[in-house]
Amino acid sequence: MQHDLIAQARTWLAEDPDPETRDELAALIDAGDTDELAARFAGTLQFGTAGLRGELGAGPMRMNRSVVIRAAAGLAAHLKAQGQEGGLVVIGYDARYKSADFARDTAAVMTGAGLRAAVLPRPLPTPVLAYAIRHLGAVAGVEVTASHNPPRDNGYKVYLGDGSQIVPPADGEIAAAIAAVGPLAGVVRPEDGWETLGEEVLDAYLARTDAVLAADSPRTARTVYTAMHGVGTSVLTAAFARAGFPEPVLVTEQAEPDPAFPTVAFPNPEEPGAMDLAFATARRAAPDLIIANDPDADRCAVAVPDTATEGGWRMLRGDEVGALLAAHLVERGATGVFAESIVSSSLLGRIAEKAGLGYEETLTGFKWIARVDGLRYGYEEALGYCVDPEGVRDKDGITAALLVAELASVLKEQGRTLLDLLDDLALAHGLHATDQLSVRVEDLTVIADAMARLREQPPTALAGLAVTSAEDLSQGTDKLPPTDGLRYHLEGARVIVRPSGTEPKLKCYLEVVVPVADRAGLPAARARGAELLAGIKRDLATAAGI
């Protein structure tokens, strides 16, 4: 077994094109580190609907140039099998370690396979790539990013020519084509022949961002902005300048791209501590709101002044921002369909129903939300908002930030705030309080065991609320294709449990709805909502054994 492992590693080493990962793997072989080698050669990174994502390093279970070249070759073979020979593939990348190398390798493979390749001019937000696919008439797009994952990770996200991320069966077909790729020596990779795009593609995207705002809306909201060490700063500040908003005050420690993400444990605005520098900057600058992007700027986080919160600033939940933007679009006379994933708050459906708009619920991920017919607005609780589906069929943290700033400006002119509008929505539709129980694991069997336990012994009550129905989403429903998840409906509450598609986490999404008679009743309703959420979280953790 040990001999086979060393032989496998030597075979990989012989065709690895990257001096860094060659040296890394050679050192492991020389040291006889069979435990580490076994982890790296336990299989291959699986290509799914999130594409590829994993830790950087040598071997088939890590993200590296060999894995990326195979992925690109499989994608090229799939596109050619679909009759797209000679079609354009546009490639974007963020500022993580190896992102530029992976983008260049992809361009070389596409060119060698007889497709045309065009690479964005520099590290740019993921929504710029999603926009460029349709703008340039490409047959596919690739974004090299690991979004808000830790610094050691990178990833590879694939879009089809409609500008939205791949869904089944395309993911399985591409995975099969990747598996069929032979030795890397057989993958043609010329030194040149692809196009490096100029700034005009970004200019076209920025010109499009204006479309999300009302022509005569106020633009007075003052913001503090953090890019979380990612690629958002230059694009967001340019978009704000074009729109005529005050120049955002930058969180300088996090404004420039840095793949080490030195000031945060996880570069995700939702993670504890990630927003601390933004809060400190806001306490000095006293803006109307804080806006944060994740490192590839497809997500948008919002924080607002709140005297009731320690430190004076409160992060809004993704569900709260999702409802605020929906209410703003309704007020502006939006038509079309509002859509969200099943893990997001049911408040959106109530807003859409009252406005006489269409409403759809999808599986998790913008690959599903973006495909809703007649989509006008879509959001997901994990800080993702699609506010201009004709321009970007994906979540877009830049245009979402513009729309939030417009809403804050409108309310400011009225002497009101985003929190006031949230109160209005609670009075109109009931207080919708959401929370998440999220468990990060080292051992993935913990997640599988928890799901099995819940399937075998489903809870009958949580926080004293009876479970009125339970659905195993792996069986599919009349409206949803199968997915690994469980959904519980309770009296005045809803719970969904699912493994994360992109991280080693079990995620449980909780929502309670508390009726509110009048404004005076809001504090009591909030207290009751928080009490129920805490109870559901506690009882669910016990039921799942986590």
Side-chain angles (χ1 to χ4, degrees):
M1 173 66 183
Q2 185 172 330
H3 181 267
D4 289 349
L5 187 59
I6 297 292
Q8 202 179 350
R10 289 193 190 282
T11 301
W12 183 275
L13 180 66
E15 66 170 17
D16 188 341
D18 188 333
E20 282 186 45
T21 43
R22 276 206 309 272
D23 290 349
E24 181 187 307
L25 188 54
L28 291 173
I29 294 170
D30 292 345
D33 191 342
T34 50
D35 286 349
E36 184 62 25
L37 288 170
R40 290 164 183 249
F41 287 85
T44 58
L45 274 186
Q46 289 304 298
F47 187 94
T49 48
L52 295 167
R53 199 178 286 187
E55 188 176 340
L56 290 162
M61 286 296 288
R62 298 287 185 267
M63 280 296 294
N64 51 64
R65 290 182 60 199
S66 297
V67 164
V68 165
I69 289 165
R70 289 182 181 281
L75 174 59
H78 170 76
L79 292 171
K80 290 165 74 175
Q82 300 291 315
Q84 307 283 13
E85 179 95 35
L88 175 67
V89 179
V90 61
I91 302 151
Y93 59 104
D94 66 11
R96 284 178 177 266
Y97 296 119
K98 297 288 183 184
S99 286
D101 294 340
F102 295 166
R104 179 186 166 85
D105 282 331
T106 301
V109 171
M110 295 301 160
T111 304
L115 291 143
R116 293 180 297 124
V119 184
L120 292 184
R122 54 191 167 89
L124 287 167
T126 293
V128 177
L129 180 274
Y131 168 80
I133 294 165
R134 300 180 73 205
H135 176 65
L136 298 172
V139 298
V142 170
E143 175 69 20
V144 180
T145 182
S147 188
H148 56 276
N149 276 37
R152 64 178 183 271
D153 289 0
N154 213 328
Y156 198 81
K157 190 187 287 192
V158 176
Y159 295 76
L160 296 179
D162 65 356
S164 51
Q165 296 174 51
I166 52 168
V167 293
D171 57 337
E173 293 165 359
I174 295 168
I178 293 169
V181 175
L184 285 193
V187 179
V188 179
R189 286 183 290 131
E191 288 295 311
D192 52 33
W194 57 89
E195 179 185 3
T196 299
L197 296 165
E199 293 292 315
E200 60 275 5
V201 69
L202 176 60
D203 292 342
Y205 167 82
L206 285 169
R208 177 82 205 181
T209 62
D210 299 349
V212 305
L213 302 174
D216 55 352
S217 62
R219 315 279 166 92
T220 55
R222 294 176 304 108
T223 58
V224 157
Y225 171 72
T226 176
M228 209 66 66
H229 298 297
V231 297
T233 297
S234 65
V235 180
L236 181 129
T237 53
F240 270 55
R242 283 183 64 97
F245 286 104
E247 184 178 355
V249 175
L250 301 181
V251 179
T252 52
E253 302 94 329
Q254 299 174 335
E256 294 304 315
D258 187 337
F261 303 108
T263 69
V264 288
F266 288 94
N268 176 355
E270 291 182 295
E271 293 282 351
M275 293 289 287
D276 287 356
L277 285 169
F279 293 150
T281 304
R283 284 191 283 273
R284 292 193 300 271
D288 298 304
L289 72 165
I290 298 171
I291 287 174
N293 287 139
D294 65 339
D296 68 325
D298 63 351
R299 297 170 194 246
C300 176
V302 180
V304 294
D306 184 2
T307 54
T309 302
E310 185 181 348
W313 282 85
R314 174 162 88 81
M315 267 279 283
L316 297 182
R317 303 193 68 85
D319 283 319
E320 291 176 313
V321 177
L324 287 168
L325 291 179
H328 181 47
L329 290 171
V330 166
E331 185 66 25
R332 275 181 34 184
T335 58
V337 178
F338 283 9
E340 64 181 337
S341 62
I342 55 172
V343 298
S344 305
S345 171
S346 60
L347 178 54
L348 184 70
R350 291 185 169 91
I351 292 170
E353 182 182 16
K354 186 170 183 181
L357 298 175
Y359 168 74
E360 290 287 336
E361 201 177 44
T362 74
L363 292 184
T364 310
F366 273 80
K367 57 184 177 280
W368 299 108
I369 294 170
R371 285 185 157 74
V372 168
D373 285 342
L375 181 68
R376 174 58 187 90
Y377 167 65
Y379 98 91
E380 190 156 72
E381 57 74 43
L383 310 182
Y385 314 94
C386 175
V387 301
D388 177 25
E390 288 306 304
V392 175
R393 290 194 178 176
D394 199 2
K395 55 186 178 291
D396 182 346
I398 305 296
T399 49
L402 285 170
L403 202 60
V404 168
E406 179 183 65
L407 171 57
S409 300
V410 169
L411 292 168
K412 186 178 178 179
E413 301 290 297
Q414 300 168 358
R416 304 174 75 236
T417 67
L418 295 175
L419 294 180
D420 292 328
L421 181 53
L422 284 173
D423 287 350
D424 293 349
L425 291 172
L427 291 169
H429 305 286
L431 178 80
H432 289 61
T434 59
D435 201 357
Q436 196 179 116
L437 171 62
S438 183
V439 182
R440 187 181 291 272
V441 300
E442 294 293 328
D443 180 2
L444 290 176
T445 59
V446 172
I447 294 175
D449 291 348
M451 294 298 288
R453 181 169 170 159
L454 288 170
R455 284 189 167 104
E456 288 160 14
Q457 297 174 292
T460 56
L462 297 168
L465 302 177
V467 175
T468 55
S469 67
E471 294 169 282
D472 187 341
L473 299 175
S474 67
Q475 308 301 311
T477 73
D478 56 345
K479 291 188 174 179
L480 298 170
T483 186
D484 187 10
L486 300 163
R487 178 161 60 180
Y488 303 108
H489 294 281
L490 298 88
E491 292 171 352
R494 184 213 64 198
V495 173
I496 292 173
V497 184
R498 60 180 283 273
S500 169
T502 55
E503 298 175 271
K505 281 182 173 182
L506 181 68
K507 299 180 114 175
C508 311
Y509 304 85
L510 325 175
E511 178 177 49
V512 299
V513 183
V514 182
V516 192
D518 52 35
R519 205 165 285 273
L522 280 168
R526 289 208 169 86
R528 175 61 176 157
E531 177 191 356
L532 286 171
L533 288 171
I536 292 172
K537 198 184 280 194
R538 180 191 63 239
D539 292 354
L540 187 62
T542 301
I546 52 176

